[in-house]
Amino acid sequence: MRLFSTLIIILISLIASTAESGTLQDRRVSAILFEGLDRVTEQRIENLIQSTVGQPYDFELVEGDVHTLNHLGEFNYATADVVLQEDGTVHIFYIFREHQIITEVSVVGNSMISDKELLAVTPVMEGLGRDEDAIDRGKRAIMDLYKERGNYLVEVVPDIVVYGKDVDEFTGRRIDESAVVIYQVMEGPRVRVKAISFAGNNSFSDDELLSEIDSNISIPFFRRGELNEQVLQADVDSLRRFYLNHGFRDVEVSYENPLSPNDKEAKVIFLIEEGPQYSVGGFIVEFETVGNLEPVFTAEQIQGLIPLRVGDVYRDVDVRLAIQKINDAYGVLGRTIEVDPSQQAVDRIKQNMFGGGGSIQQDVANAVPYRAEPGSAIEITFKIKEGAPTKVGLIEIMGNNVTQDKVIRGRIGLEPGQPFNLAEAQRSQRRLIDTRLFSNVRLTPQPEDPNNPGYRDLLVEVDETRTGAVGFGVVAGSDSGVVGNISIDQQNFDVADVPESFSEFIHGKSFIGAGQQFHMAIQPGDELFSYEIGLTDPRFLDTDYSIGGSAGWTQRVFEDYTQEQTSSRLSLGRKLGDIWYGSVSLSAMRMKLTDFNDNVPQEIFDDRGPASLNSIGVSVLRDTLFPKQRPQEGSRTKLTFDQFGFPGGDFSFSRAELRYATYFALNRDFLNRTSTLRIDARIGYIFGGTAPTYERFYYGGRTLRGFDYRTVSPKGTPRVAGGSTTVPIGGDFAMLFTAQYEFPIADRFLAMVLFCDTGTVTDDPGFDDYRVSLGTGLRLYIPQLGNVPLAFDFGLPVIKQANDVKKSFSFSIQLPF
């Protein structure tokens, strides 16, 4: 009834205003008055309307004001009345009926979710005006929250109670301005998924399609398997993408979820209409160039970039990849292009996707639909509009309040006057992010300057992050025991920035800004005690060369003896592009073994020292891991060779080691969480002399789970009668292969791993004394504790040797204070 009355009032006002508009149009406005305002101030209305005193009356302008005021969300209605005055001018009256004030918002009938959680998702709050649309949005938000928790049959009814419909005896004003909003919740039972099936999938098996969805069947005590509409819709989208990428352009996917008689269980059925499967019929390349210039590339060269061949199944993902490759090829030459790939079926009906501005964009999902006979081929026409070649103008850097300009410019692969290589700009952005000096990096090509045609400036904007830290914490592990950690780290160090005062040093305004890396730590522990200090300049003298040095002292208490090591190292390296890095290093060590018991074998006792070990080493690294923290794809390969005995020293031998790790993203769920497979391989060999026991290879613990730390190794000769025959002395040859599958369990902080570790350590190359272990574990990712997860693993040896020492549980924990 209220809505009907409101509409009648607005309609009468519009009719009256329209009737008078012809006679009052263009008369001077001598006053603007407001009626019905209480909570909303006149000043706010004056700021919103366009009509002004002294200007000619304009009916359309006032009509626009009324439209604006009615959409403000503060009024039940707003109208305008125009009154002719005796002097020939007009007064404009804006008449309002304000919304009732909400004095309370509450929820009743809820037992599974608290009031606080439910009210937090509603946009309705005390003190705001009554807004029916906002109240309805609150209802839907509460229902969505319940459905996420498995209450698929939830019902929510908002009840609005209005208070005070009397007249104030002092002001004569109606007191009907307050309302209480009560959301009545009928939770209903939680619905569990008891079965998932597919109908209409003639080309793919149920098992293949199950791997593409995230909905799960309920398993008591292990998996809730609650019915969730958002997950189901994400599954529909995932299945559609799967079919599109297998050439089924006309696929339709939907779902049904018939409930059981008790409304507590559901069987989800995905309904699929596959349609025909399309193949690639051919390629055509058309160019539109600037002026009468010849195309930069030939049609044959463009076709060579396309990852599709005639007869292949048509896949949208391959078309997008082709567009990106074409764009990158032109970007290297500083060209801005537009690519329009059109697909033409045998009935010559086209579908277009558009891109431009040097960054190819397309929207396949909203493409114009078309039909063709089953088995028909799609002819793909790439229409390329070439832009004029551009060069780099000025490079402007903003946002670096602490970091020196040269630190940023040294990682930008573009220079003024060079072709504007868009691909290089993207690589430069990644280099800057990889420094970990900035939380965000934006490289924005500026529009071409008309006064300097052919040149585009580059704006580099950085958001600096905290790069220095004083750390106090505990590191605990099954291999190293409990170790305290007191450290000072600065990723943006400047050794030449000497403080001018003690206050400047205390407030962190010195020794900062040059991008150097400084680390100093003291680590006292029950089994491991160490001091270390190091400084590295990754761009020495603003070149691609790096130089670094470190020194330290370490004491390690083993079960049968104690090892002390004093070491120093100097290295010189160089980046070779973006993924290769090479270095040469000089190392000097002094080793001493003490505190022997009767179980120490003769080989370790003979190496008691003290002894000097000097070496020169060469290493080559190739790294394509992405992202650097918690990688999901790419690989890392490192080859090292160390020659001991140069210059001088008590031992002379050679040691080579190859390490390889690669990641595969196997699945990505609707929350963008990734399941990854990691493959590790490691092989090492010592030759050309005799190495002391503390420089040989050992596996076990975290390196070969299921076996005790360092026990995968040849065993020593007892030094005394009755001495142990199971003490490891290391081997000259080592080989390790590991496969680990990691998948999310709870949000992004808890994941589970399944692993298989295999390998051996022997005196000679071969597969003798081989070991295999299987296991599972947990990874706990807590950003406040750093980038390294807390790791807990249980391993079971499947193939072992006679003197092996098993250790089923291994862990690694890092807890900063």
Side-chain angles (χ1 to χ4, degrees):
M1 193 66 184
R2 176 190 296 272
L3 178 60
F4 180 75
S5 301
T6 301
L7 292 175
I8 292 296
I9 293 172
I10 295 174
L11 182 60
I12 293 173
S13 300
L14 289 175
I15 294 173
S17 298
T18 304
E20 295 186 15
S21 63
T23 57
L24 302 181
Q25 187 75 11
D26 295 331
R27 291 180 181 271
R28 187 174 66 85
V29 178
S30 56
I32 297 177
L33 304 171
F34 308 109
E35 295 182 1
L37 292 180
D38 183 17
R39 292 180 295 102
V40 182
T41 65
E42 292 188 0
Q43 182 62 52
R44 185 180 180 192
I45 302 300
E46 290 174 354
N47 293 338
L48 291 171
I49 64 175
Q50 300 184 56
S51 300
T52 56
V53 175
Q55 297 296 320
Y57 166 69
D58 186 335
F59 167 74
E60 293 185 356
L61 200 64
V62 174
E63 189 180 46
D65 291 341
V66 172
H67 179 79
T68 299
L69 296 171
N70 274 303
H71 285 78
L72 191 61
E74 298 282 358
F75 310 108
N76 280 335
Y77 65 82
T79 64
D81 191 14
V82 185
V83 179
L84 179 64
Q85 305 298 307
E86 293 181 357
D87 60 359
T89 64
V90 296
H91 288 182
I92 303 176
F93 291 84
Y94 289 94
I95 305 165
F96 305 93
R97 176 64 180 264
E98 292 181 342
H99 279 312
Q100 297 161 340
I101 292 295
I102 296 176
T103 57
E104 183 182 348
V105 184
S106 61
V107 184
V108 297
N110 54 307
S111 60
M112 299 179 181
I113 305 179
S114 67
D115 290 8
K116 183 178 180 180
E117 285 185 272
L118 294 176
L119 293 176
V121 301
T122 66
V124 184
M125 291 181 288
E126 297 177 8
L128 297 180
R130 172 178 171 177
D131 186 337
E132 301 294 339
D133 182 61
I135 293 172
D136 188 61
R137 292 200 308 272
K139 165 190 169 181
R140 294 195 301 270
I142 291 174
M143 292 180 66
D144 289 342
L145 184 57
Y146 267 100
K147 289 180 179 181
E148 289 178 9
R149 305 285 178 91
N151 293 76
Y152 187 74
L153 301 177
V154 64
E155 291 291 340
V156 178
V157 178
D159 188 14
I160 302 171
V161 181
V162 178
Y163 288 93
K165 293 190 176 182
D166 298 329
V167 177
D168 191 312
E169 60 179 330
F170 298 104
T171 64
R173 182 173 174 273
R174 287 175 57 86
I175 318 173
D176 61 349
E177 305 304 322
S178 63
V180 173
V181 178
I182 304 171
Y183 287 104
Q184 299 184 25
V185 179
M186 291 158 281
E187 294 178 324
R190 286 188 172 177
V191 181
R192 310 285 184 177
V193 177
K194 287 301 180 182
I196 298 176
S197 62
F198 302 88
N201 53 315
N202 302 316
S203 302
F204 302 99
S205 68
D206 287 6
D207 289 340
E208 288 178 286
L209 299 183
L210 277 172
S211 65
E212 300 296 323
I213 65 175
D214 293 303
S215 294
N216 291 305
I217 297 174
S218 174
I219 301 176
F221 307 109
F222 291 95
R223 192 166 60 199
R224 292 185 298 180
E226 295 167 344
L227 193 65
N228 188 317
E229 279 189 319
Q230 293 182 350
V231 177
L232 288 174
Q233 189 55 54
D235 290 341
V236 167
D237 295 338
S238 179
L239 290 171
R240 187 172 185 274
R241 285 193 302 269
F242 175 80
Y243 269 93
L244 287 173
N245 285 326
H246 285 82
F248 293 87
R249 301 287 301 152
D250 303 328
V251 66
E252 296 291 339
V253 184
S254 60
Y255 68 87
E256 291 181 352
N257 48 358
L259 299 175
S260 63
N262 62 3
D263 290 338
K264 293 184 178 181
E265 297 177 355
K267 177 182 179 181
V268 176
I269 305 173
F270 289 97
L271 306 176
I272 301 170
E273 297 180 21
E274 293 182 340
Q277 186 179 38
Y278 294 92
S279 61
V280 177
F283 308 98
I284 297 175
V285 181
E286 298 178 0
F287 296 96
E288 181 181 339
T289 61
V290 178
N292 296 321
L293 297 176
E294 290 293 324
V296 175
F297 297 105
T298 66
E300 290 75 15
Q301 289 173 320
I302 295 297
Q303 290 182 7
L305 298 172
I306 300 172
L308 277 169
R309 296 294 178 264
V310 174
D312 288 351
V313 171
Y314 177 86
R315 299 180 356 132
D316 288 329
V317 64
D318 292 329
V319 176
R320 292 194 295 269
L321 180 59
I323 294 172
Q324 184 61 51
K325 287 183 175 294
I326 294 171
N327 186 67
D328 290 344
Y330 275 92
V332 171
L333 303 178
R335 296 292 188 110
T336 301
I337 66 168
E338 295 179 3
V339 178
D340 170 14
S342 58
Q343 297 83 36
Q344 183 176 3
V346 291
D347 56 2
R348 311 188 69 82
I349 298 178
K350 293 185 177 180
Q351 167 191 2
N352 295 323
M353 289 174 279
F354 301 95
S359 179
I360 301 304
Q361 300 176 346
Q362 56 182 336
D363 193 345
V364 179
N366 296 325
V368 179
Y370 66 95
R371 293 290 184 271
E373 294 300 323
S376 62
I378 297 176
E379 187 178 79
I380 306 175
T381 301
F382 290 90
K383 297 180 180 180
I384 300 174
K385 184 178 180 180
E386 294 185 353
T390 57
K391 295 183 179 180
V392 181
L394 298 177
I395 298 178
E396 183 178 1
I397 300 174
M398 298 180 63
N400 56 320
N401 300 318
V402 173
T403 309
Q404 299 173 16
D405 271 17
K406 66 179 183 180
V407 175
I408 299 173
R409 292 185 186 276
R411 290 169 172 83
I412 298 175
L414 298 174
E415 295 183 4
Q418 291 183 343
F420 208 120
N421 186 338
L422 296 176
E424 179 56 41
Q426 294 173 355
R427 290 193 293 269
S428 300
Q429 182 183 36
R430 179 170 292 187
R431 288 190 209 106
L432 290 171
I433 293 175
D434 288 345
T435 63
R436 294 186 295 174
L437 303 181
F438 314 105
S439 60
N440 191 23
V441 178
R442 299 173 296 280
L443 272 67
T444 309
Q446 301 301 296
E448 187 175 1
D449 186 353
N451 299 322
N452 191 18
Y455 286 84
R456 300 173 68 184
D457 294 343
L458 179 64
L459 176 61
V460 182
E461 299 173 281
V462 297
D463 298 329
E464 292 181 314
T465 188
R466 181 182 177 184
T467 57
V470 178
F472 300 90
V474 173
V475 179
S478 52
D479 293 353
S480 58
V482 179
V483 181
N485 182 61
I486 305 171
S487 62
I488 300 175
D489 289 277
Q490 176 55 262
Q491 298 295 318
N492 200 5
F493 194 73
D494 185 358
V495 71
D497 183 21
V498 180
E500 297 181 0
S501 65
F502 183 73
S503 175
E504 186 177 83
F505 174 74
I506 290 296
H507 290 88
K509 297 182 179 179
S510 59
F511 294 119
I512 188 170
Q516 300 163 3
Q517 299 162 359
F518 174 79
H519 171 73
M520 182 171 65
I522 301 174
Q523 295 181 315
D526 59 341
E527 298 179 18
L528 180 68
F529 197 110
S530 70
Y531 304 94
E532 57 185 3
I533 186 170
L535 176 65
T536 300
D537 188 344
R539 286 190 52 80
F540 182 59
L541 300 178
D542 300 327
T543 66
D544 286 335
Y545 288 91
S546 65
I547 189 170
S550 62
W553 178 83
T554 302
Q555 182 186 73
R556 179 64 194 254
V557 178
F558 294 106
E559 184 177 351
D560 304 310
Y561 63 98
T562 299
Q563 175 180 301
E564 293 183 8
Q565 171 183 314
T566 305
S567 63
S568 60
R569 179 184 176 90
L570 180 65
S571 63
L572 176 67
R574 189 183 192 281
K575 287 187 68 67
L576 307 169
D578 287 323
I579 62 175
W580 288 93
Y581 179 81
S583 67
V584 178
S585 62
L586 290 174
S587 299
M589 292 186 294
R590 185 178 184 275
M591 302 292 296
K592 183 172 67 171
L593 308 182
T594 60
D595 300 333
F596 300 105
N597 65 22
D598 289 342
N599 285 327
V600 171
Q602 187 65 47
E603 291 85 352
I604 293 178
F605 186 79
D606 291 342
D607 292 332
R608 59 189 179 276
S612 296
L613 286 88
N614 301 325
S615 66
I616 181 171
V618 179
S619 69
V620 178
L621 172 68
R622 183 183 185 274
D623 189 347
T624 62
L625 295 181
F626 181 81
K628 296 299 182 184
Q629 305 295 335
R630 203 170 177 178
Q632 299 174 2
E633 59 184 37
S635 63
R636 177 184 173 91
T637 306
K638 186 175 184 180
L639 174 64
T640 60
F641 175 81
D642 295 290
Q643 179 59 53
F644 287 82
F646 179 86
D650 295 323
F651 294 90
S652 178
F653 60 93
S654 303
R655 182 174 62 190
E657 187 172 17
L658 174 66
R659 296 189 179 191
Y660 174 78
T662 185
Y663 289 79
F664 302 94
L666 299 185
N667 181 53
R668 194 181 305 273
D669 63 17
F670 73 104
L671 294 177
N672 203 33
R673 300 177 303 182
T674 304
S675 299
T676 58
L677 174 65
R678 172 178 174 173
I679 304 294
D680 285 272
R682 187 186 303 183
I683 186 169
Y685 186 45
I686 296 173
F687 57 95
T690 301
T693 53
Y694 42 76
E695 287 298 324
R696 296 176 187 169
F697 296 110
Y698 298 83
Y699 285 157
R702 298 296 299 163
T703 54
L704 210 165
R705 289 161 286 190
F707 297 89
D708 201 4
Y709 176 58
R710 284 171 51 105
T711 59
V712 177
S713 157
K715 306 305 189 288
T717 304
R719 180 172 56 92
V720 298
S724 174
T725 60
T726 63
V727 179
I729 59 172
D732 291 336
F733 175 78
M735 178 173 55
L736 178 69
F737 298 98
T738 296
Q740 177 172 290
Y741 176 62
E742 178 175 336
F743 55 95
I745 295 180
D747 199 15
R748 299 178 185 274
F749 70 90
L750 182 62
M752 187 174 184
V753 299
L754 303 173
F755 63 83
C756 175
D757 292 351
T758 69
T760 186
V761 177
T762 60
D763 289 325
D764 299 304
F767 294 90
D768 297 337
D769 299 334
Y770 206 73
R771 280 89 166 174
V772 177
S773 68
L774 301 175
T776 185
L778 295 175
R779 297 292 181 270
L780 189 60
Y781 293 88
I782 303 177
Q784 294 80 359
L785 301 184
N787 296 316
V788 180
L790 278 61
F792 307 91
D793 291 327
F794 295 86
L796 176 65
V798 177
I799 299 177
K800 60 180 182 177
Q801 302 304 315
N803 292 329
D804 286 340
V805 180
K806 296 188 298 181
K807 190 168 188 178
S808 298
F809 178 63
S810 63
F811 66 94
S812 174
I813 300 176
Q814 183 171 323
L815 299 175
F817 296 149

Short mmCIF file of all heavy atoms in Angstrom, two decimals, residues 378-403:
data_model
loop_
_atom_site.label_atom_id
_atom_site.label_comp_id
_atom_site.label_asym_id
_atom_site.label_seq_id
_atom_site.Cartn_x
_atom_site.Cartn_y
_atom_site.Cartn_z
N ILE A 378 37.55 -25.49 -39.07
CA ILE A 378 37.52 -24.04 -38.86
C ILE A 378 38.76 -23.44 -39.51
O ILE A 378 39.89 -23.84 -39.21
CB ILE A 378 37.48 -23.70 -37.36
CG1 ILE A 378 36.20 -24.23 -36.74
CG2 ILE A 378 37.60 -22.21 -37.14
CD1 ILE A 378 36.12 -24.02 -35.25
N GLU A 379 38.53 -22.51 -40.38
CA GLU A 379 39.63 -21.80 -41.01
C GLU A 379 39.91 -20.54 -40.20
O GLU A 379 39.01 -19.73 -39.95
CB GLU A 379 39.26 -21.42 -42.44
CG GLU A 379 40.42 -20.81 -43.21
CD GLU A 379 40.02 -20.51 -44.65
OE1 GLU A 379 39.35 -19.48 -44.84
OE2 GLU A 379 40.35 -21.29 -45.55
N ILE A 380 41.15 -20.39 -39.76
CA ILE A 380 41.51 -19.28 -38.87
C ILE A 380 42.23 -18.21 -39.68
O ILE A 380 43.25 -18.49 -40.32
CB ILE A 380 42.43 -19.75 -37.72
CG1 ILE A 380 41.77 -20.92 -36.99
CG2 ILE A 380 42.72 -18.62 -36.76
CD1 ILE A 380 42.65 -21.53 -35.93
N THR A 381 41.68 -17.01 -39.66
CA THR A 381 42.29 -15.89 -40.36
C THR A 381 42.85 -14.91 -39.33
O THR A 381 42.11 -14.40 -38.49
CB THR A 381 41.28 -15.17 -41.26
OG1 THR A 381 40.75 -16.10 -42.20
CG2 THR A 381 41.94 -14.01 -42.00
N PHE A 382 44.14 -14.68 -39.36
CA PHE A 382 44.79 -13.71 -38.48
C PHE A 382 44.94 -12.40 -39.23
O PHE A 382 45.71 -12.31 -40.18
CB PHE A 382 46.16 -14.21 -38.01
CG PHE A 382 46.09 -15.37 -37.06
CD1 PHE A 382 46.09 -16.68 -37.52
CD2 PHE A 382 45.99 -15.15 -35.69
CE1 PHE A 382 46.01 -17.74 -36.66
CE2 PHE A 382 45.91 -16.22 -34.82
CZ PHE A 382 45.93 -17.51 -35.30
N LYS A 383 44.18 -11.39 -38.80
CA LYS A 383 44.28 -10.06 -39.41
C LYS A 383 45.16 -9.20 -38.52
O LYS A 383 44.81 -8.89 -37.38
CB LYS A 383 42.89 -9.44 -39.56
CG LYS A 383 41.98 -10.24 -40.49
CD LYS A 383 40.60 -9.58 -40.59
CE LYS A 383 39.69 -10.36 -41.52
NZ LYS A 383 38.35 -9.73 -41.63
N ILE A 384 46.32 -8.81 -39.04
CA ILE A 384 47.32 -8.10 -38.24
C ILE A 384 47.42 -6.66 -38.73
O ILE A 384 47.74 -6.42 -39.90
CB ILE A 384 48.69 -8.79 -38.35
CG1 ILE A 384 48.59 -10.23 -37.84
CG2 ILE A 384 49.74 -8.01 -37.56
CD1 ILE A 384 49.85 -11.04 -38.03
N LYS A 385 47.13 -5.74 -37.83
CA LYS A 385 47.27 -4.32 -38.13
C LYS A 385 48.56 -3.82 -37.49
O LYS A 385 48.66 -3.70 -36.27
CB LYS A 385 46.08 -3.53 -37.59
CG LYS A 385 46.12 -2.05 -37.94
CD LYS A 385 44.88 -1.34 -37.42
CE LYS A 385 44.92 0.14 -37.76
NZ LYS A 385 43.73 0.86 -37.25
N GLU A 386 49.57 -3.58 -38.32
CA GLU A 386 50.89 -3.19 -37.82
C GLU A 386 50.92 -1.71 -37.49
O GLU A 386 50.48 -0.87 -38.28
CB GLU A 386 51.97 -3.51 -38.85
CG GLU A 386 52.16 -4.99 -39.12
CD GLU A 386 53.32 -5.24 -40.07
OE1 GLU A 386 53.86 -4.26 -40.60
OE2 GLU A 386 53.67 -6.41 -40.27
N GLY A 387 51.44 -1.40 -36.31
CA GLY A 387 51.67 -0.01 -35.96
C GLY A 387 53.04 0.44 -36.39
O GLY A 387 53.88 -0.34 -36.85
N ALA A 388 53.26 1.73 -36.26
CA ALA A 388 54.57 2.28 -36.63
C ALA A 388 55.60 1.88 -35.58
O ALA A 388 55.27 1.71 -34.41
CB ALA A 388 54.48 3.80 -36.73
N PRO A 389 56.86 1.70 -35.99
CA PRO A 389 57.89 1.36 -35.00
C PRO A 389 58.09 2.50 -34.01
O PRO A 389 58.04 3.67 -34.36
CB PRO A 389 59.15 1.14 -35.86
CG PRO A 389 58.87 1.87 -37.13
CD PRO A 389 57.40 1.80 -37.35
N THR A 390 58.27 2.14 -32.75
CA THR A 390 58.49 3.13 -31.70
C THR A 390 59.79 2.82 -30.97
O THR A 390 60.24 1.68 -30.92
CB THR A 390 57.34 3.13 -30.69
OG1 THR A 390 57.19 1.83 -30.14
CG2 THR A 390 56.03 3.55 -31.35
N LYS A 391 60.35 3.87 -30.38
CA LYS A 391 61.58 3.74 -29.61
C LYS A 391 61.35 4.27 -28.20
O LYS A 391 60.38 4.97 -27.92
CB LYS A 391 62.72 4.51 -30.29
CG LYS A 391 63.11 3.93 -31.64
CD LYS A 391 64.31 4.69 -32.23
CE LYS A 391 64.71 4.08 -33.57
NZ LYS A 391 65.87 4.79 -34.17
N VAL A 392 62.26 3.91 -27.32
CA VAL A 392 62.17 4.32 -25.93
C VAL A 392 62.61 5.77 -25.80
O VAL A 392 63.67 6.16 -26.29
CB VAL A 392 63.04 3.43 -25.03
CG1 VAL A 392 62.93 3.86 -23.58
CG2 VAL A 392 62.66 1.97 -25.20
N GLY A 393 61.76 6.57 -25.14
CA GLY A 393 62.13 7.95 -24.85
C GLY A 393 62.81 8.03 -23.49
O GLY A 393 63.77 7.31 -23.22
N LEU A 394 62.27 8.85 -22.61
CA LEU A 394 62.82 8.98 -21.27
C LEU A 394 62.31 7.86 -20.38
O LEU A 394 61.19 7.38 -20.55
CB LEU A 394 62.44 10.33 -20.66
CG LEU A 394 62.95 11.58 -21.41
CD1 LEU A 394 62.43 12.84 -20.73
CD2 LEU A 394 64.48 11.59 -21.45
N ILE A 395 63.12 7.44 -19.42
CA ILE A 395 62.71 6.45 -18.42
C ILE A 395 62.66 7.18 -17.09
O ILE A 395 63.68 7.60 -16.55
CB ILE A 395 63.68 5.27 -18.36
CG1 ILE A 395 63.72 4.54 -19.71
CG2 ILE A 395 63.28 4.31 -17.25
CD1 ILE A 395 64.69 3.38 -19.75
N GLU A 396 61.45 7.34 -16.57
CA GLU A 396 61.24 8.06 -15.31
C GLU A 396 60.91 7.08 -14.21
O GLU A 396 60.07 6.19 -14.38
CB GLU A 396 60.11 9.08 -15.45
CG GLU A 396 59.90 9.92 -14.21
CD GLU A 396 58.80 10.95 -14.37
OE1 GLU A 396 58.19 11.00 -15.46
OE2 GLU A 396 58.54 11.69 -13.42
N ILE A 397 61.58 7.22 -13.07
CA ILE A 397 61.40 6.32 -11.93
C ILE A 397 60.75 7.10 -10.80
O ILE A 397 61.17 8.20 -10.45
CB ILE A 397 62.74 5.73 -11.48
CG1 ILE A 397 63.37 4.92 -12.62
CG2 ILE A 397 62.56 4.85 -10.26
CD1 ILE A 397 64.76 4.43 -12.32
N MET A 398 59.70 6.51 -10.22
CA MET A 398 58.97 7.15 -9.12
C MET A 398 58.74 6.15 -8.00
O MET A 398 58.61 4.95 -8.24
CB MET A 398 57.62 7.70 -9.61
CG MET A 398 57.73 8.77 -10.68
SD MET A 398 56.10 9.37 -11.21
CE MET A 398 55.50 10.07 -9.67
N GLY A 399 58.69 6.67 -6.77
CA GLY A 399 58.34 5.84 -5.62
C GLY A 399 59.52 5.33 -4.83
O GLY A 399 59.33 4.76 -3.75
N ASN A 400 60.75 5.51 -5.33
CA ASN A 400 61.94 5.00 -4.61
C ASN A 400 62.49 6.06 -3.67
O ASN A 400 63.38 6.83 -4.01
CB ASN A 400 63.01 4.55 -5.61
CG ASN A 400 63.41 5.63 -6.59
OD1 ASN A 400 62.57 6.37 -7.08
ND2 ASN A 400 64.70 5.71 -6.90
N ASN A 401 61.95 6.10 -2.47
CA ASN A 401 62.40 7.08 -1.48
C ASN A 401 63.73 6.69 -0.85
O ASN A 401 64.48 7.55 -0.38
CB ASN A 401 61.34 7.24 -0.39
CG ASN A 401 60.00 7.71 -0.94
OD1 ASN A 401 59.96 8.59 -1.79
ND2 ASN A 401 58.92 7.10 -0.48
N VAL A 402 64.03 5.40 -0.82
CA VAL A 402 65.25 4.90 -0.19
C VAL A 402 66.21 4.32 -1.22
O VAL A 402 67.40 4.62 -1.22
CB VAL A 402 64.91 3.85 0.88
CG1 VAL A 402 66.18 3.21 1.42
CG2 VAL A 402 64.11 4.47 2.01
N THR A 403 65.70 3.51 -2.11
CA THR A 403 66.52 2.79 -3.08
C THR A 403 67.08 3.75 -4.14
O THR A 403 66.35 4.58 -4.69
CB THR A 403 65.70 1.70 -3.78
OG1 THR A 403 65.06 0.90 -2.79
CG2 THR A 403 66.58 0.84 -4.65
#
